[in-house]
Amino acid sequence: MERTVILSSLAASGGDTAPQRLTGLAAELGIPTADLLVVAGHRVPAELLPPERDARVMRRFAYRVSHCDHSQLAALEAFVRALPRVPASEPFVQPTRPGHPPAETRFAAVLAALIGNRGFGIRELPFMGLSLSTLRAMVWRWDPSPHRRQQLAAVAGPLGWSLPDLFAVADEPYSEELRPMLHCHHLGRVFTAAVPLTTAQLTEASEEADRLSMREDHGVWQPVSQGCAEECPDFL
């Protein structure tokens, strides 16, 4: 069965699929188990979530990684995966956000959980060409709209998801003419690999990202990467 059909089916009615089956299916599809559990509407066990980490360090990490090109992202992912896995002293607990209402639609809840699976909040995500108010609306009540395809194309890459896969979960028609807005899934692969890292290891990985990219700090008026999706080998 085509993978997008499987994902669409799980998003629509995956609650009856056993977690053990989802774990095996995640390995077959090359999707993190935590993500497939979320898509199917299951709770994610604590051992699949990141440890508690400093949000400011995570924000710096996401920003610095976003300046790497594809070869640098591949090298950084290998560096991150080679770091030792330190047992977490406490499991990750998604922080409460005062004033941020809970998700009111199914896909908004899925999106919020996918972001949380990486230990990110909205403010910790790299720049994606979307405003904070737009991102907050997306994890609150993301109804169909003329802008939905553009928004999906913006968030897929940092989550490490391909556009067809995320569009299938969102029940949105996908066209091969669509391209990632700023970042492709190669950026998100680094964030996914970094899920087990501690705050100190995120700092170490940030320094390695700077060494690889030779990032220049453009100051307060240009504090973000403009992405490298145009050079993504998947779309050449």
Side-chain angles (χ1 to χ4, degrees):
M1 187 183 298
E2 187 177 350
R3 60 185 289 131
T4 54
V5 175
I6 294 172
L7 290 168
S8 181
S9 176
L10 288 175
S13 56
D16 294 333
T17 305
Q20 294 84 353
R21 169 59 181 148
L22 291 170
T23 298
L25 192 57
E28 293 175 24
L29 297 176
I31 293 174
T33 299
D35 285 4
L36 208 59
L37 289 169
V38 161
V39 168
H42 287 261
R43 182 185 66 84
V44 179
E47 60 268 21
L48 296 181
L49 293 170
E52 196 67 46
R53 302 182 291 197
D54 187 295
R56 292 169 299 178
V57 173
M58 291 178 60
R59 188 175 183 182
R60 288 196 297 269
F61 169 71
Y63 159 59
R64 292 176 177 185
V65 173
S66 71
H67 282 265
C68 293
D69 64 22
H70 286 88
S71 62
Q72 293 160 358
L73 286 171
L76 184 60
E77 181 184 352
F79 176 87
V80 166
R81 292 190 183 280
L83 291 172
R85 294 316 186 232
V86 180
S89 57
E90 295 181 5
F92 173 74
V93 177
Q94 184 69 34
T96 58
R97 306 283 185 178
H100 295 186
E104 293 186 0
T105 62
R106 175 78 178 94
F107 187 67
V110 168
L111 177 63
L114 292 176
I115 294 171
N117 282 352
R118 287 140 184 83
F120 289 156
I122 294 299
R123 286 188 172 275
E124 288 74 59
L125 289 167
F127 176 71
M128 297 184 291
L130 303 174
S131 68
L132 285 176
S133 60
T134 296
L135 286 166
R136 291 190 182 109
M138 289 163 63
V139 297
W140 168 51
R141 186 174 180 83
W142 200 8
D143 292 314
S145 79
H147 307 294
R148 201 176 196 212
R149 297 203 306 170
Q150 180 187 29
Q151 292 166 348
L152 284 168
V155 300
L159 292 176
W161 278 66
S162 72
L163 295 187
D165 285 357
L166 192 62
F167 273 66
V169 171
D171 193 27
E172 187 75 18
Y174 171 72
S175 167
E176 291 186 356
E177 296 177 357
L178 291 168
R179 294 293 184 269
M181 199 156 94
L182 287 180
H183 305 292
C184 63
H185 74 100
H186 295 95
L187 175 71
R189 284 181 59 91
V190 177
F191 296 152
T192 301
V195 166
L197 300 189
T198 64
T199 295
Q201 288 175 320
L202 285 178
T203 298
E204 186 178 355
S206 297
E207 292 170 351
E208 179 65 8
D210 274 355
R211 187 191 70 79
L212 288 166
S213 70
M214 295 183 289
R215 176 185 65 90
E216 294 183 9
D217 194 336
H218 296 293
V220 68
W221 299 113
Q222 292 181 291
V224 296
S225 162
Q226 296 305 312
C228 56
E230 291 183 358
E231 293 80 33
C232 180
D234 292 354
F235 294 94
L236 295 179

